[in-house]
Amino acid sequence: MQLLLAAVVVLPLLGAVAALLPAPPGLKGRDPDQAVLRHGVTVTGVVLAAAVALAVGFDHDHPARMQATTDISWIQALGIRIHLGIDGISLPLLVLTALLTFLCALYSYFHLPAGPSPKAFVALLLVLEAGTLATFAVLDLVLFFLAFETVLIPMYFLIARWGGAQRTYAAWKFILYTLLGSVVMLLGLLLVGLKSGTFDMVALATDNGPNSQLSHTVQLLAVLAIGIGLAVKAPMWPLHSWLPDAHTAAPTVGSVLLAGVLLKMGTYGFVRIALPIAPDGMHTFAPYLAAFAAVGIVYGSLACLALARRGAKGDLKRLIAYSSVGHMGFVLLGIATMTPTGVNGALFANIAHGLITGLLFFLVGALKDRYGTTDLDQLAGRTGAALYGRAPRFGGLLAFGAIASLGLPGLAGFWGEMLAMFGAFRPAAGLSRPAFLTFMALAGLGTLLTAAYLLIVVRRVCMGGKEPAEDGGADALGTVGSEESGATRTAPVIPDLARYEYAAWSPLAVLTVLAGLWPAALLGLTDPAVQQLLGGGK
């Protein structure tokens, strides 16, 4: 188990180095570009297999205990150790990261985004995977920060070199926001380590009672500094403005990993660091975190409604990005309740969002490839058939993703949001219940608004309808003429789902259904670990 966890973290880095080296003569094949893409699929597939083996070998009877641990002294003078381990909180995120990266590598093998060398693309993808996996596996504050920062550079280049329109602006905005947040977070992490005398996250989590070496003032400063860095990555309103630009400009696989994995690093940090290590500071700031989360839920939904309305020239990719602000608001609200119910809901919503939004970004990217646009007014068409008539399987899968995203009972999106609101209904002792009931009501309003804009998207993109055409009655789907003249031409049928698209997207759809029908499989992992974490390691 120790070797498996170490391999999960190290193999992507070794694979990234190997991707940049000349391929051995026997492995070049007829097309060197396809050979390096095949290398990416192979490495991510091996990492996924190792992650699944970790999950199978995990002691499910004791999910609160750190398992597969490695603890080696690294920088002895500073007390920094190479400390790795997984429990019921980090294991699902580790497997989700390995799965999404493998699916992205598989999709890219058949559909590489336009840009520079495939070698650089594969290497950056693997470095991104290594940093994300390490973030969920390390148990040292300094290593957590290093892993947290490792993902920024590859994501910057994926957006800047393989992205779409305004990619340079979006990449710079992403890197500046996240780096500035990380500088503040580093100050908070150093404050905790220097005041407590250790950077070990397990030791800090079990020494947070009355005898804790962190005073109330230190905890306040630590939560404020660390929380700002984590909130930028989460992303929490109003620190979210980098997200829509980054998603809109990123290539398809960049958007999938950004939404499905990178956003979870921020919320995971709240659960792994802020809650157990500085509970007094968290208790003070919890109402403010919940307030920002509730506003973010409503704000994200209203922004999506504005983009979805007819004539707004809304971008579907940008709409899905704004929806993430609302969905991650539920995660932050669950964490802010500081209750087992709320935190379990937050962790469940993390996984559900990764599955569902990852699927949606895959689908939206494929829509753009087929139509050359993600403009909602152009995608809606004028024939009354739209996707259902042109590519029924594609339209059905897009409708499934939208329905799952709005939180339909029986699918993964339902449980996390419901548990987060249950947690807000009865927050931790000492937190204002009237305030949290207000936040719960705002979250409930957000669920209604979410259903509204997603059903509008399904109606317009999947079912079609009469849309106002520009420049004399032509739309992007090929319908020309006007009703008055009677001269209309139906747009040609677009390609339906290809085999590689089935292979890349089906696992996400299947897991969305399984998590919705069998939530105990995930909650049984997280609940004992959350109970111990909130109980001070006991």
Side-chain angles (χ1 to χ4, degrees):
M1 291 287 284
Q2 290 175 321
L3 291 176
L4 274 176
L5 183 57
V8 164
V9 175
V10 174
L11 277 177
L13 282 178
L14 298 178
V17 174
L20 297 175
L21 297 175
L27 298 179
K28 285 183 178 179
R30 297 180 180 178
D31 187 347
D33 290 348
Q34 288 298 104
V36 74
L37 292 172
R38 187 163 56 247
H39 168 78
V41 175
T42 302
V43 174
T44 55
V46 171
V47 172
L48 175 59
V52 171
L54 266 177
V56 172
F58 187 80
D59 184 358
H60 292 263
D61 293 329
H62 302 91
R65 178 170 56 86
M66 283 294 172
Q67 302 181 34
T69 55
T70 299
D71 193 0
I72 304 171
S73 178
W74 183 33
I75 306 177
Q76 190 171 2
L78 299 177
I80 301 172
R81 308 182 66 82
I82 299 177
H83 192 183
L84 305 177
I86 53 171
D87 63 357
I89 293 173
S90 53
L91 178 62
L93 291 167
L94 202 77
V95 176
L96 175 68
T97 300
L99 172 65
L100 285 176
T101 311
F102 170 71
L103 296 180
C104 286
L106 180 64
Y107 183 80
S108 299
Y109 178 79
F110 294 96
H111 193 87
L112 181 69
S117 166
K119 282 190 172 185
F121 177 84
V122 171
L124 290 170
L125 191 68
L126 292 173
V127 172
L128 181 67
E129 180 182 32
T132 311
L133 290 169
T135 301
F136 300 135
V138 298
L139 298 173
D140 183 277
L141 291 178
V142 176
L143 285 184
F144 176 85
F145 176 78
L146 294 177
F148 198 88
E149 294 304 288
T150 298
V151 304
L152 302 185
I153 300 304
M155 181 54 72
Y156 166 81
F157 281 109
L158 284 174
I159 297 173
R161 304 303 297 275
W162 284 269
Q166 296 186 324
R167 59 181 182 267
T168 303
Y169 167 78
W172 275 109
K173 192 171 184 180
F174 162 76
I175 200 74
L176 288 176
Y177 264 75
T178 50
L179 277 179
L180 288 174
S182 297
V183 169
V184 180
M185 182 177 73
L186 176 61
L187 296 176
L189 295 175
L190 292 176
L191 176 65
V192 171
L194 295 175
K195 287 294 184 179
S196 63
T198 180
F199 290 100
D200 188 274
M201 293 158 67
V202 176
L204 288 166
T206 55
D207 187 27
N208 59 10
N211 298 323
S212 174
Q213 299 183 45
L214 299 178
S215 66
H216 183 69
T217 302
V218 170
Q219 291 194 32
L220 286 177
L221 293 174
V223 169
L224 180 62
I226 296 171
I228 289 174
L230 297 174
V232 171
K233 187 65 71 72
M236 181 187 76
W237 179 92
L239 303 175
H240 70 285
S241 61
W242 61 270
L243 181 72
D245 293 316
H247 270 309
T248 304
T252 297
V253 295
S255 293
V256 171
L257 293 176
L258 186 59
V261 177
L262 266 67
L263 303 189
K264 313 303 178 287
M265 295 164 59
T267 53
Y268 173 78
F270 275 108
V271 175
R272 179 65 72 195
I273 299 174
L275 273 177
I277 295 176
D280 291 344
M282 241 338 251
H283 194 277
T284 300
F285 283 108
Y288 303 100
L289 177 62
F292 284 127
V295 172
I297 293 170
V298 177
Y299 168 83
S301 301
L302 290 176
C304 291
L305 270 176
L307 290 170
R309 66 183 177 86
R310 182 179 299 178
K313 307 299 292 181
D315 186 283
L316 182 56
K317 200 173 185 183
R318 196 173 188 85
L319 184 148
I320 302 300
Y322 270 111
S323 76
S324 292
V325 177
H327 290 307
M328 298 308 291
F330 280 98
V331 177
L332 293 171
L333 176 61
I335 294 170
T337 66
M338 298 186 69
T339 63
T341 301
V343 176
N344 276 305
L347 294 171
F348 196 102
N350 256 345
I351 302 299
H353 179 264
L355 296 172
I356 298 168
T357 308
L359 174 61
L360 286 174
F361 274 118
F362 268 133
L363 291 165
V364 174
L367 267 182
K368 187 172 184 178
D369 294 334
R370 285 162 166 80
Y371 288 145
T373 181
T374 50
D375 184 282
L376 272 169
D377 288 335
Q378 297 182 25
L379 289 175
R382 300 178 63 201
T383 65
L387 273 182
Y388 284 161
R390 299 186 178 96
R393 294 181 181 85
F394 195 112
L397 192 56
L398 179 61
F400 169 82
I403 296 300
S405 185
L406 65 81
L408 184 73
L411 298 176
F414 170 73
W415 296 104
E417 296 180 0
M418 183 194 71
L419 290 173
M421 288 193 286
F422 277 0
F425 181 75
R426 196 175 297 277
L431 296 177
S432 171
R433 193 181 183 206
F436 273 82
L437 287 175
T438 303
F439 303 146
M440 184 190 72
L442 290 173
L445 173 63
T447 61
L448 297 177
L449 296 175
T450 300
Y453 72 74
L454 285 171
L455 290 175
I456 290 173
V457 167
V458 170
R459 179 181 61 81
R460 297 189 67 200
V461 178
C462 296
M463 301 172 67
K466 295 182 179 180
E467 301 285 336
E470 297 182 359
D471 53 29
D475 69 17
L477 305 187
T479 302
V480 296
S482 64
E483 292 183 0
E484 288 78 3
S485 64
T488 60
R489 177 169 56 85
T490 302
V493 175
I494 66 167
D496 212 332
L497 296 182
R499 290 183 179 179
Y500 73 91
E501 291 173 330
Y502 272 118
W505 304 342
S506 295
L508 301 178
V510 170
L511 288 173
T512 298
V513 174
L514 290 178
L517 295 178
W518 191 25
L522 184 56
L523 293 174
L525 278 175
T526 62
D527 184 55
V530 168
Q531 296 277 0
Q532 179 172 299
L533 179 142
L534 294 177
K538 299 177 182 178

